[in-house]
Amino acid sequence: MTAEHRTNFFSRRWRGEIALPVLLWRDMLGVGTVINLSATMAALGLMAQGVPMPLAVALHFAPLPYNLFLFASLWRLPRRSALSTGLGLAWVAVMTLA
């Protein structure tokens, strides 16, 4: 992977240069879910160790900007379907509330 490819991760998604299946299935449902579950598990582990609640809550919600970015990138795709938009919206809701 070239340095240019890595640095363009966000801009390529924002400009709609990534295919819908890659953005939806790999970035959102695959990688995004792993990031969110990891943050939630770490937050629960911190709470179990007696770390102040605001720190644990901040860790839990840390992936939220990334989640919103992925959904906004999906929304901006010109050839998205209603199903993919609904799935993306449901994913953002579940990842935010879970």
Side-chain angles (χ1 to χ4, degrees):
M1 184 178 299
T2 66
E4 180 180 328
H5 182 74
R6 283 191 306 265
T7 58
N8 287 331
F9 178 87
F10 290 102
S11 60
R12 291 181 67 215
R13 277 144 186 82
W14 190 250
R15 290 189 308 256
E17 297 172 0
I18 300 297
L20 174 63
V22 172
L23 181 61
L24 179 65
W25 295 106
R26 187 190 71 191
D27 294 349
M28 287 181 87
L29 298 175
V31 175
T33 299
V34 169
I35 290 170
N36 282 276
L37 291 176
S38 298
T40 298
M41 291 296 125
L44 289 172
L46 289 177
M47 285 186 346
Q49 293 179 358
V51 170
M53 182 69 74
L55 182 59
V57 169
L59 179 57
H60 172 72
F61 286 110
L64 186 59
Y66 181 67
N67 296 347
L68 295 176
F69 167 77
L70 288 177
F71 181 71
S73 296
L74 176 71
W75 186 266
R76 292 171 51 93
L77 284 177
R79 294 177 303 279
R80 72 181 189 283
S81 66
L83 177 63
S84 63
T85 304
L87 188 57
L89 184 59
W91 177 81
V92 168
V94 169
M95 292 299 115
T96 300
L97 299 175

